[in-house]
Amino acid sequence: MKILVMFTGGTIGSSSNGSEISPNEKNTRLLLELYKKEYDENAEFEIAQPYYALSENNTGKTLERLISAVCEAKNYNGIIVTHGTDTLQYSAAALSYALGNACTPVMLVSSNYILTDKRANGLSNFAAAVDFIKKGYGRGVFVPYKNSDEKVYIHRAGRLLQHNELADDVFSIRNQYYGSYNGDTFIKNPDFDEKKDEINPFGKIKLAEFSRSIKVFQAYVGNTLPKIEDNTKAVLIKTYHSGTICTDNENFTKFAEEINKRKIPCYICGAENREIYESAKAFSEYGITVLPPASFISQYIKLWIATENNIDFNKIYTQSLGGDLL
């Protein structure tokens, strides 16, 4: 059994000096030592390190580097990527689109606290990743994560939601997680459902350091819509939970008229398969595209990759890749 462990930093690869937490490359050995001591003293892993940083400092270039490293890794039974929690969902989605659902299992493992903290779930998440790979429970990209209910959930990488404020737990959209561990026993979620990949995985991709060509906006009270600039290629809007944004004002009307005039596509995430409110009628009136049910983060990553790699997003947004669409 050959498992490659890629260390990228994050809390799981950090230590504390009493006043601040910072990346510590010595923690690559600590995680494996803890695993061998508690779970399997004879376990053998190969190690790689595509980069090492706190995940909140990740950019398009670190995503590009991570995808390239995973795509180049050959002849392994599985790959484990250690990662920080802040941007876990973004890297998970990016790898899911690069690799699809049929690849050798890739598991993104993180920790809510540094490994020497007794509250940390990093070792449990890592152990679940190893067990999942060894026993062949699935193919594609996954995220094992132990929530505050003490269960380790296995999530499809393209379905993760952003963490709730001031909380550590990880969830899949509409609770569509892949499975969970009851002690040492893996149980497939009977309600989990997904389509096979409807388009080919993207493989290695190119990304700029920052996604300047996409204007991203989240609805909030008293909002102003993003300024459209000369290099803007697309707009992505996250709605309120009921699939709405504020459309009853001059600000929205001017924005919608401008993107129409400049033929800039605008996409709405969070409004599909919901009752239509009066305010949402403006979407069709102004030619704004409502995306299929999926996590906002996954659709942002999908749009970003498409925009920078000459992929026509309008031809792929209705097609599932990596299990992203519900």
Side-chain angles (χ1 to χ4, degrees):
M1 179 66 64
K2 290 177 63 178
I3 296 177
L4 176 65
V5 183
M6 288 189 175
F7 292 94
T8 69
T11 299
I12 195 169
S14 295
S15 58
S16 173
N17 63 10
S19 61
E20 66 181 32
I21 294 171
S22 57
N24 183 348
E25 296 186 30
K26 294 180 181 179
N27 277 31
T28 58
R29 293 194 297 271
L30 176 61
L31 176 61
L32 300 184
E33 288 170 359
L34 290 172
Y35 175 79
K36 291 177 181 180
K37 180 179 180 181
E38 186 162 337
Y39 292 94
D40 184 359
E41 63 181 10
N42 297 313
E44 294 185 10
F45 303 99
E46 291 189 26
I47 296 174
Q49 189 176 303
Y51 63 89
Y52 211 81
L54 291 172
S55 74
E56 58 267 32
N57 294 324
N58 282 350
T59 66
K61 287 304 175 186
T62 50
L63 286 179
E64 184 181 301
R65 198 178 308 166
L66 177 60
I67 289 171
S68 180
V70 174
C71 286
E72 290 173 2
K74 306 294 183 183
N75 302 317
Y76 292 98
N77 298 99
I79 298 171
I80 297 174
V81 177
T82 67
H83 199 283
T85 53
D86 280 348
T87 60
L88 173 68
Q89 297 88 340
Y90 296 85
S91 295
L95 283 172
S96 186
Y97 289 132
L99 301 169
N101 269 357
C103 70
T104 296
V106 175
M107 318 291 291
L108 285 91
V109 170
S110 59
S111 184
N112 55 347
Y113 294 95
I114 60 174
L115 291 174
T116 52
D117 191 314
K118 64 181 181 180
R119 298 169 295 176
N121 62 12
L123 182 58
S124 296
N125 299 338
F126 185 81
V130 175
D131 184 76
F132 190 92
I133 291 170
K134 284 185 174 182
K135 295 177 181 174
Y137 288 131
R139 297 183 68 82
V141 188
F142 300 92
V143 174
Y145 195 88
K146 184 179 181 180
N147 279 351
S148 53
D149 62 3
E150 297 299 311
K151 289 175 64 175
V152 177
Y153 293 87
I154 306 294
H155 302 271
R156 264 295 181 204
R159 294 191 175 185
L160 293 182
L161 298 172
Q162 189 73 47
H163 285 79
N164 290 324
E165 290 85 351
L166 303 177
D168 294 327
D169 289 355
V170 169
F171 299 99
S172 289
I173 188 169
R174 288 184 179 165
N175 208 30
Q176 277 280 312
Y177 61 92
Y178 185 82
S180 62
Y181 277 88
N182 184 2
D184 296 331
T185 303
F186 175 73
I187 302 171
K188 181 77 176 286
N189 179 7
D191 297 322
F192 179 82
D193 185 47
E194 68 179 347
K195 302 173 184 177
K196 292 182 179 179
D197 288 343
E198 296 175 313
I199 53 176
N200 292 328
F202 298 146
K204 291 184 181 181
I205 50 89
K206 295 292 183 182
L207 286 176
E209 187 172 10
F210 303 106
S211 59
R212 292 191 174 96
S213 61
I214 302 172
K215 293 295 181 182
V216 180
F217 166 76
Q218 180 172 346
Y220 60 91
V221 174
N223 63 269
T224 56
L225 288 153
K227 181 181 178 182
I228 302 301
E229 298 170 340
D230 291 341
N231 65 343
T232 301
K233 295 181 180 180
V235 177
L236 178 64
I237 299 176
K238 182 180 181 182
T239 67
Y240 292 119
H241 83 97
S242 59
T244 61
I245 64 172
C246 179
T247 59
D248 186 22
N249 61 66
E250 186 180 359
N251 180 36
F252 172 81
T253 302
K254 287 183 176 180
F255 169 81
E257 289 176 347
E258 182 178 1
I259 60 174
N260 275 345
K261 181 180 178 181
R262 298 174 63 169
K263 297 182 180 180
I264 296 172
C266 181
Y267 304 98
I268 291 279
C269 189
E272 179 73 5
N273 290 348
R274 294 182 179 273
E275 259 190 301
I276 298 296
Y277 285 81
E278 181 182 48
S279 56
K281 291 180 180 179
F283 301 160
S284 59
E285 291 174 7
Y286 287 99
I288 297 174
T289 300
V290 175
L291 297 177
S295 78
F296 178 75
I297 289 175
S298 72
Q299 298 312 286
Y300 163 66
I301 292 293
K302 196 174 191 177
L303 177 60
W304 188 13
I305 291 174
T307 302
E308 296 210 16
N309 290 271
N310 297 315
I311 300 168
D312 188 345
F313 188 71
N314 285 326
K315 292 183 178 179
I316 67 169
Y317 76 81
T318 61
Q319 297 176 297
S320 183
L321 178 57
D324 63 335
L325 304 185
L326 299 184

